[in-house]
PDB file of all heavy atoms in Angstrom:
ATOM      1  N   GLY A  14    -145.867 -58.545  -1.818  1.00  0.00           N
ATOM      2  CA  GLY A  14    -145.813 -57.441  -2.793  1.00  0.00           C
ATOM      3  C   GLY A  14    -145.120 -57.900  -4.106  1.00  0.00           C
ATOM      4  O   GLY A  14    -145.339 -57.374  -5.171  1.00  0.00           O
ATOM      5  N   ARG A  15    -144.265 -58.927  -3.910  1.00  0.00           N
ATOM      6  CA  ARG A  15    -143.547 -59.492  -5.063  1.00  0.00           C
ATOM      7  C   ARG A  15    -143.831 -61.008  -5.177  1.00  0.00           C
ATOM      8  O   ARG A  15    -143.808 -61.507  -6.312  1.00  0.00           O
ATOM      9  CB  ARG A  15    -142.030 -59.281  -4.912  1.00  0.00           C
ATOM     10  CG  ARG A  15    -141.581 -57.754  -4.989  1.00  0.00           C
ATOM     11  CD  ARG A  15    -140.091 -57.697  -4.970  1.00  0.00           C
ATOM     12  NE  ARG A  15    -139.642 -56.341  -5.116  1.00  0.00           N
ATOM     13  CZ  ARG A  15    -138.359 -56.004  -5.157  1.00  0.00           C
ATOM     14  NH1 ARG A  15    -137.404 -56.912  -5.014  1.00  0.00           N
ATOM     15  NH2 ARG A  15    -138.031 -54.705  -5.263  1.00  0.00           N
ATOM     16  N   SER A  16    -144.028 -61.649  -4.100  1.00  0.00           N
ATOM     17  CA  SER A  16    -144.263 -63.062  -4.122  1.00  0.00           C
ATOM     18  C   SER A  16    -145.018 -63.492  -2.908  1.00  0.00           C
ATOM     19  O   SER A  16    -145.289 -62.721  -1.974  1.00  0.00           O
ATOM     20  CB  SER A  16    -142.913 -63.857  -4.179  1.00  0.00           C
ATOM     21  OG  SER A  16    -142.165 -63.602  -2.944  1.00  0.00           O
ATOM     22  N   ARG A  17    -145.493 -64.774  -2.863  1.00  0.00           N
ATOM     23  CA  ARG A  17    -146.220 -65.291  -1.722  1.00  0.00           C
ATOM     24  C   ARG A  17    -145.288 -65.998  -0.809  1.00  0.00           C
ATOM     25  O   ARG A  17    -144.546 -66.941  -1.236  1.00  0.00           O
ATOM     26  CB  ARG A  17    -147.323 -66.208  -2.198  1.00  0.00           C
ATOM     27  CG  ARG A  17    -148.216 -66.779  -1.036  1.00  0.00           C
ATOM     28  CD  ARG A  17    -149.549 -67.171  -1.512  1.00  0.00           C
ATOM     29  NE  ARG A  17    -150.400 -66.048  -1.956  1.00  0.00           N
ATOM     30  CZ  ARG A  17    -150.974 -65.232  -1.185  1.00  0.00           C
ATOM     31  NH1 ARG A  17    -150.933 -65.418   0.150  1.00  0.00           N
ATOM     32  NH2 ARG A  17    -151.707 -64.264  -1.653  1.00  0.00           N
ATOM     33  N   LYS A  18    -145.230 -65.568   0.432  1.00  0.00           N
ATOM     34  CA  LYS A  18    -144.366 -66.161   1.449  1.00  0.00           C
ATOM     35  C   LYS A  18    -145.189 -67.216   2.239  1.00  0.00           C
ATOM     36  O   LYS A  18    -146.114 -66.914   2.879  1.00  0.00           O
ATOM     37  CB  LYS A  18    -143.846 -65.064   2.419  1.00  0.00           C
ATOM     38  CG  LYS A  18    -142.915 -65.611   3.475  1.00  0.00           C
ATOM     39  CD  LYS A  18    -142.454 -64.478   4.375  1.00  0.00           C
ATOM     40  CE  LYS A  18    -141.443 -64.987   5.423  1.00  0.00           C
ATOM     41  NZ  LYS A  18    -140.274 -65.579   4.804  1.00  0.00           N
ATOM     42  N   VAL A  19    -144.725 -68.475   2.121  1.00  0.00           N
ATOM     43  CA  VAL A  19    -145.432 -69.596   2.781  1.00  0.00           C
ATOM     44  C   VAL A  19    -144.883 -69.790   4.163  1.00  0.00           C
ATOM     45  O   VAL A  19    -143.636 -69.961   4.347  1.00  0.00           O
ATOM     46  CB  VAL A  19    -145.277 -70.869   1.962  1.00  0.00           C
ATOM     47  CG1 VAL A  19    -145.930 -72.014   2.673  1.00  0.00           C
ATOM     48  CG2 VAL A  19    -145.915 -70.657   0.578  1.00  0.00           C
ATOM     49  N   ILE A  20    -145.758 -69.691   5.185  1.00  0.00           N
ATOM     50  CA  ILE A  20    -145.360 -69.974   6.542  1.00  0.00           C
ATOM     51  C   ILE A  20    -145.504 -71.460   6.834  1.00  0.00           C
ATOM     52  O   ILE A  20    -144.611 -72.157   7.340  1.00  0.00           O
ATOM     53  CB  ILE A  20    -146.137 -69.127   7.534  1.00  0.00           C
ATOM     54  CG1 ILE A  20    -146.084 -67.598   7.158  1.00  0.00           C
ATOM     55  CG2 ILE A  20    -145.702 -69.378   8.970  1.00  0.00           C
ATOM     56  CD1 ILE A  20    -144.699 -67.077   7.248  1.00  0.00           C
ATOM     57  N   LEU A  21    -146.743 -71.930   6.623  1.00  0.00           N
ATOM     58  CA  LEU A  21    -147.055 -73.381   6.722  1.00  0.00           C
ATOM     59  C   LEU A  21    -147.789 -73.855   5.578  1.00  0.00           C
ATOM     60  O   LEU A  21    -148.649 -73.139   4.939  1.00  0.00           O
ATOM     61  CB  LEU A  21    -147.915 -73.613   8.052  1.00  0.00           C
ATOM     62  CG  LEU A  21    -147.199 -73.422   9.412  1.00  0.00           C
ATOM     63  CD1 LEU A  21    -148.219 -73.617  10.546  1.00  0.00           C
ATOM     64  CD2 LEU A  21    -146.072 -74.434   9.587  1.00  0.00           C
ATOM     65  N   ASP A  22    -147.537 -75.081   5.137  1.00  0.00           N
ATOM     66  CA  ASP A  22    -148.152 -75.697   3.944  1.00  0.00           C
ATOM     67  C   ASP A  22    -148.690 -77.056   4.339  1.00  0.00           C
ATOM     68  O   ASP A  22    -148.051 -78.072   4.434  1.00  0.00           O
ATOM     69  CB  ASP A  22    -147.137 -75.852   2.822  1.00  0.00           C
ATOM     70  CG  ASP A  22    -147.738 -76.389   1.535  1.00  0.00           C
ATOM     71  OD1 ASP A  22    -149.004 -76.388   1.422  1.00  0.00           O
ATOM     72  OD2 ASP A  22    -146.990 -76.894   0.719  1.00  0.00           O
ATOM     73  N   ARG A  23    -149.975 -77.094   4.715  1.00  0.00           N
ATOM     74  CA  ARG A  23    -150.730 -78.270   5.091  1.00  0.00           C
ATOM     75  C   ARG A  23    -149.991 -78.966   6.196  1.00  0.00           C
ATOM     76  O   ARG A  23    -149.831 -80.237   6.137  1.00  0.00           O
ATOM     77  CB  ARG A  23    -150.998 -79.148   3.896  1.00  0.00           C
ATOM     78  CG  ARG A  23    -151.871 -78.548   2.818  1.00  0.00           C
ATOM     79  CD  ARG A  23    -152.201 -79.495   1.738  1.00  0.00           C
ATOM     80  NE  ARG A  23    -150.996 -79.966   1.016  1.00  0.00           N
ATOM     81  CZ  ARG A  23    -150.392 -79.220   0.068  1.00  0.00           C
ATOM     82  NH1 ARG A  23    -150.870 -78.073  -0.337  1.00  0.00           N
ATOM     83  NH2 ARG A  23    -149.319 -79.717  -0.522  1.00  0.00           N
ATOM     84  N   ALA A  24    -149.566 -78.215   7.201  1.00  0.00           N
ATOM     85  CA  ALA A  24    -148.816 -78.811   8.304  1.00  0.00           C
ATOM     86  C   ALA A  24    -149.702 -79.368   9.413  1.00  0.00           C
ATOM     87  O   ALA A  24    -150.730 -78.730   9.807  1.00  0.00           O
ATOM     88  CB  ALA A  24    -147.861 -77.754   8.896  1.00  0.00           C
ATOM     89  N   SER A  25    -149.298 -80.558   9.909  1.00  0.00           N
ATOM     90  CA  SER A  25    -150.038 -81.196  11.085  1.00  0.00           C
ATOM     91  C   SER A  25    -149.058 -81.539  12.108  1.00  0.00           C
ATOM     92  O   SER A  25    -148.012 -82.245  11.832  1.00  0.00           O
ATOM     93  CB  SER A  25    -150.793 -82.444  10.552  1.00  0.00           C
ATOM     94  OG  SER A  25    -151.798 -82.109   9.579  1.00  0.00           O
ATOM     95  N   PHE A  26    -149.314 -81.119  13.352  1.00  0.00           N
ATOM     96  CA  PHE A  26    -148.488 -81.534  14.491  1.00  0.00           C
ATOM     97  C   PHE A  26    -149.296 -81.220  15.766  1.00  0.00           C
ATOM     98  O   PHE A  26    -150.367 -80.590  15.706  1.00  0.00           O
ATOM     99  CB  PHE A  26    -147.162 -80.730  14.475  1.00  0.00           C
ATOM    100  CG  PHE A  26    -147.290 -79.234  14.636  1.00  0.00           C
ATOM    101  CD1 PHE A  26    -147.342 -78.585  15.814  1.00  0.00           C
ATOM    102  CD2 PHE A  26    -147.452 -78.467  13.471  1.00  0.00           C
ATOM    103  CE1 PHE A  26    -147.450 -77.206  15.883  1.00  0.00           C
ATOM    104  CE2 PHE A  26    -147.569 -77.072  13.496  1.00  0.00           C
ATOM    105  CZ  PHE A  26    -147.559 -76.473  14.744  1.00  0.00           C
ATOM    106  N   ARG A  27    -148.736 -81.703  16.916  1.00  0.00           N
ATOM    107  CA  ARG A  27    -149.487 -81.566  18.204  1.00  0.00           C
ATOM    108  C   ARG A  27    -148.499 -81.239  19.291  1.00  0.00           C
ATOM    109  O   ARG A  27    -147.377 -81.742  19.312  1.00  0.00           O
ATOM    110  CB  ARG A  27    -150.201 -82.888  18.458  1.00  0.00           C
ATOM    111  CG  ARG A  27    -151.010 -82.880  19.798  1.00  0.00           C
ATOM    112  CD  ARG A  27    -151.597 -84.216  20.039  1.00  0.00           C
ATOM    113  NE  ARG A  27    -152.575 -84.618  19.064  1.00  0.00           N
ATOM    114  CZ  ARG A  27    -153.287 -85.736  19.125  1.00  0.00           C
ATOM    115  NH1 ARG A  27    -153.120 -86.610  20.075  1.00  0.00           N
ATOM    116  NH2 ARG A  27    -154.207 -85.991  18.191  1.00  0.00           N
ATOM    117  N   VAL A  28    -149.008 -80.369  20.158  1.00  0.00           N
ATOM    118  CA  VAL A  28    -148.203 -80.040  21.367  1.00  0.00           C
ATOM    119  C   VAL A  28    -148.971 -80.634  22.570  1.00  0.00           C
ATOM    120  O   VAL A  28    -150.114 -80.220  22.846  1.00  0.00           O
ATOM    121  CB  VAL A  28    -148.078 -78.535  21.571  1.00  0.00           C
ATOM    122  CG1 VAL A  28    -147.353 -78.251  22.923  1.00  0.00           C
ATOM    123  CG2 VAL A  28    -147.372 -77.891  20.422  1.00  0.00           C
ATOM    124  N   GLU A  29    -148.293 -81.663  23.202  1.00  0.00           N
ATOM    125  CA  GLU A  29    -149.038 -82.316  24.326  1.00  0.00           C
ATOM    126  C   GLU A  29    -148.657 -81.669  25.639  1.00  0.00           C
ATOM    127  O   GLU A  29    -147.591 -81.128  25.812  1.00  0.00           O
ATOM    128  CB  GLU A  29    -148.615 -83.857  24.369  1.00  0.00           C
ATOM    129  CG  GLU A  29    -148.897 -84.586  23.098  1.00  0.00           C
ATOM    130  CD  GLU A  29    -150.379 -85.095  23.051  1.00  0.00           C
ATOM    131  OE1 GLU A  29    -151.114 -84.695  23.967  1.00  0.00           O
ATOM    132  OE2 GLU A  29    -150.689 -85.786  22.112  1.00  0.00           O
ATOM    133  N   LEU A  30    -149.580 -81.672  26.592  1.00  0.00           N
ATOM    134  CA  LEU A  30    -149.283 -81.172  27.925  1.00  0.00           C
ATOM    135  C   LEU A  30    -148.179 -82.022  28.528  1.00  0.00           C
ATOM    136  O   LEU A  30    -148.135 -83.232  28.392  1.00  0.00           O
ATOM    137  CB  LEU A  30    -150.546 -81.266  28.796  1.00  0.00           C
ATOM    138  CG  LEU A  30    -151.678 -80.254  28.516  1.00  0.00           C
ATOM    139  CD1 LEU A  30    -152.795 -80.448  29.476  1.00  0.00           C
ATOM    140  CD2 LEU A  30    -151.171 -78.822  28.553  1.00  0.00           C
ATOM    141  N   GLY A  31    -147.271 -81.343  29.224  1.00  0.00           N
ATOM    142  CA  GLY A  31    -146.159 -82.037  29.832  1.00  0.00           C
ATOM    143  C   GLY A  31    -144.953 -82.151  28.927  1.00  0.00           C
ATOM    144  O   GLY A  31    -143.883 -82.683  29.383  1.00  0.00           O
ATOM    145  N   ARG A  32    -145.059 -81.806  27.687  1.00  0.00           N
ATOM    146  CA  ARG A  32    -143.945 -81.947  26.777  1.00  0.00           C
ATOM    147  C   ARG A  32    -143.663 -80.554  26.133  1.00  0.00           C
ATOM    148  O   ARG A  32    -144.186 -80.245  25.043  1.00  0.00           O
ATOM    149  CB  ARG A  32    -144.201 -82.982  25.651  1.00  0.00           C
ATOM    150  CG  ARG A  32    -144.201 -84.401  26.237  1.00  0.00           C
ATOM    151  CD  ARG A  32    -144.492 -85.425  25.157  1.00  0.00           C
ATOM    152  NE  ARG A  32    -143.487 -85.415  24.097  1.00  0.00           N
ATOM    153  CZ  ARG A  32    -142.337 -86.026  24.147  1.00  0.00           C
ATOM    154  NH1 ARG A  32    -142.009 -86.760  25.216  1.00  0.00           N
ATOM    155  NH2 ARG A  32    -141.502 -86.067  23.121  1.00  0.00           N
ATOM    156  N   SER A  33    -142.875 -79.773  26.798  1.00  0.00           N
ATOM    157  CA  SER A  33    -142.536 -78.419  26.302  1.00  0.00           C
ATOM    158  C   SER A  33    -141.797 -78.548  24.964  1.00  0.00           C
ATOM    159  O   SER A  33    -141.048 -79.512  24.707  1.00  0.00           O
ATOM    160  CB  SER A  33    -141.670 -77.674  27.315  1.00  0.00           C
ATOM    161  OG  SER A  33    -142.411 -77.370  28.440  1.00  0.00           O
ATOM    162  N   LEU A  34    -142.060 -77.592  24.082  1.00  0.00           N
ATOM    163  CA  LEU A  34    -141.581 -77.674  22.725  1.00  0.00           C
ATOM    164  C   LEU A  34    -140.817 -76.382  22.309  1.00  0.00           C
ATOM    165  O   LEU A  34    -141.306 -75.349  22.564  1.00  0.00           O
ATOM    166  CB  LEU A  34    -142.729 -77.928  21.736  1.00  0.00           C
ATOM    167  CG  LEU A  34    -142.429 -77.846  20.226  1.00  0.00           C
ATOM    168  CD1 LEU A  34    -141.545 -79.055  19.870  1.00  0.00           C
ATOM    169  CD2 LEU A  34    -143.675 -77.792  19.433  1.00  0.00           C
ATOM    170  N   GLY A  35    -139.652 -76.548  21.737  1.00  0.00           N
ATOM    171  CA  GLY A  35    -138.955 -75.421  21.154  1.00  0.00           C
ATOM    172  C   GLY A  35    -139.022 -75.538  19.641  1.00  0.00           C
ATOM    173  O   GLY A  35    -138.854 -76.617  19.104  1.00  0.00           O
ATOM    174  N   ILE A  36    -139.276 -74.413  18.971  1.00  0.00           N
ATOM    175  CA  ILE A  36    -139.324 -74.407  17.511  1.00  0.00           C
ATOM    176  C   ILE A  36    -138.153 -73.564  16.979  1.00  0.00           C
ATOM    177  O   ILE A  36    -138.080 -72.362  17.267  1.00  0.00           O
ATOM    178  CB  ILE A  36    -140.645 -73.831  17.014  1.00  0.00           C
ATOM    179  CG1 ILE A  36    -141.816 -74.701  17.497  1.00  0.00           C
ATOM    180  CG2 ILE A  36    -140.665 -73.748  15.472  1.00  0.00           C
ATOM    181  CD1 ILE A  36    -143.221 -74.141  17.147  1.00  0.00           C
TER     182      ILE A  36
END
Side-chain angles (χ1 to χ4, degrees):
R15 293 185 176 181
S16 62
R17 183 156 294 279
K18 181 179 181 61
V19 176
I20 307 300
L21 289 176
D22 181 18
R23 297 185 298 277
S25 297
F26 61 91
R27 180 182 296 182
V28 179
E29 300 279 4
L30 288 182
R32 290 180 63 83
S33 293
L34 174 68
I36 300 176

